[in-house]
Amino acid sequence: MSGRRSSARAMPVVAAALAALLLAGCAAPSAPAEPSGEAPAPTATSAAPAPQPTETADPRAGWRTIETQDGLFRWQIPADWTVVDESFEAEDDLGWVNQLTVVSELGQDLAFFGSASYGDRGGICASPDDPGLVDAEGFVPALVHDDELVELGEGLLGMDLEPVEGARLVAHTRTSDDESFVFYAGFTMYPMREDAVPCLQYSDVAVPDGYPQTSFGTTHAPALWQVESYEQGEAYTETEEYSELMDMFRSLELTGAHR
C-alpha cells in the first residue's frame, strides 16, 4: 500500500515540471543586445623574435700554431699533425734556410715549407728530343681541382705589408705521359689552364719585396702523391685530410718581423 502512495505522489511533480518546460518554450524571444558602437580593441600579440646570426664553426679550432725559427712565418696545423724542422744557417750567401716538413698523424709527409734566397732554380721537365705530352709553352695535361686567388695583402700574408698580386692556392692532378699521374696542392705563381698546368711545379708563395723566396705545397713523395688516374686525384679532394691541408695553407701568415 505504501509503495502505491509514493508513486501517486510523484506523478503531479513530474507533470508540473513538464508544464514549466512547455511554458518556457512558448515564451517570447528576448531582444538582441544593442551594439555598443565601439569595435573591440585588438588583442596585442608579441613580436616575433629577431633572427640571431648563425655562428660559423672555425675549421681550425684546436689547431696548433707553427712558427719558423727566424720568426718570419707562421701557420696552423691540426692538433694530431707534427712538423719536422730541419732549418739551418747556410755558410754561403743563402743565409738562413727554412726547411719544415708537415707530417700527418699516420707519419706521412704531407707538405713542405721552405724559404731562402735561392736565386734562379732552373729546371727541365722534358727532353727536347722526346717532349712527351709537354706542349710548346711547357704545359702538360691536367685536371684542375681547385684554383683560388689569395689576397695576400689582406690578412693571409698581410699584416701591415703592401698587397701582393698573383698569389694562388691550387690543387690539380697532372700527367706527362698518360701513364703516371701526380697530385699537387699548395701555392703557385704560375697560371693554370682549364685542362693543363706548367710541367715544372714550383710551390711559390707570392711575398712582398725584401722577403726570401718562399714555397709551401705538397711534397714530391712518390708513394703518397702519385695516383693512378685523374679520378683518384679528384676523389682525394673529397677527403677530410684534403680539407685540412688546404685550410693549413690558407692559415699562412707573415709575422711582419722582416724589414
Side-chain angles (χ1 to χ4, degrees):
M1 297 290 294
S2 61
R4 282 196 295 270
R5 280 200 300 270
S6 298
S7 177
R9 294 183 58 177
M11 295 285 292
V13 175
V14 173
L18 289 173
L21 289 173
L22 290 173
L23 289 174
C26 295
S30 59
E34 293 292 333
S36 63
E38 296 182 1
T43 304
T45 58
S46 57
Q52 298 298 317
T54 303
E55 294 186 4
T56 303
D58 183 0
R60 296 190 287 270
W63 286 25
R64 298 187 294 120
T65 299
I66 303 300
E67 186 166 321
T68 57
Q69 293 183 49
D70 59 2
L72 295 184
F73 306 92
R74 61 171 170 248
W75 65 90
Q76 293 179 298
I77 63 172
D80 52 359
W81 291 9
T82 56
V83 166
V84 177
D85 191 344
E86 298 176 316
S87 304
F88 62 96
E89 183 76 40
E91 296 180 356
D92 50 23
D93 294 338
L94 285 178
W96 183 260
V97 178
N98 281 313
Q99 291 185 349
L100 297 92
T101 302
V102 179
V103 183
S104 75
E105 73 277 12
L106 300 178
Q108 296 173 322
D109 293 351
L110 293 179
F112 177 80
F113 176 89
S115 70
S117 300
Y118 296 114
D120 185 9
R121 289 164 293 184
I124 185 171
C125 55
S127 167
D129 298 328
D130 183 17
L133 299 178
V134 181
D135 67 14
E137 296 180 349
F139 280 72
V140 294
L143 175 63
V144 178
H145 309 296
D146 282 301
D147 182 3
E148 61 184 74
L149 186 65
V150 180
E151 298 292 341
L152 299 184
E154 298 181 0
L156 182 64
L157 295 177
M159 306 298 289
D160 56 346
L161 306 171
E162 291 297 321
V164 179
E165 297 181 358
R168 303 166 75 131
L169 185 58
V170 302
H172 55 70
T173 300
R174 68 184 187 276
T175 182
S176 59
D177 55 13
D178 271 340
E179 294 181 1
S180 59
F181 297 81
V182 178
F183 178 88
Y184 173 78
F187 287 95
T188 188
M189 293 175 63
Y190 296 90
M192 302 286 112
R193 295 180 187 168
E194 184 176 350
D195 57 357
V197 298
C199 61
L200 286 177
Q201 182 61 67
Y202 295 125
S203 50
D204 290 334
V205 180
V207 294
D209 292 339
Y211 277 81
Q213 288 175 305
T214 304
S215 59
F216 201 12
T218 51
T219 63
H220 299 289
L224 183 61
W225 299 118
Q226 283 191 354
V227 294
E228 296 179 356
S229 62
Y230 291 137
E231 291 74 20
Q232 187 175 9
E234 180 71 19
Y236 178 71
T237 66
E238 302 297 327
T239 65
E240 181 180 1
E241 183 178 272
Y242 172 78
S243 178
E244 292 176 332
L245 193 65
M246 296 296 276
D247 279 331
M248 178 191 70
F249 292 135
R250 295 185 185 102
S251 73
L252 179 65
E253 293 180 311
L254 290 185
T255 64
H258 189 79
R259 291 290 183 269

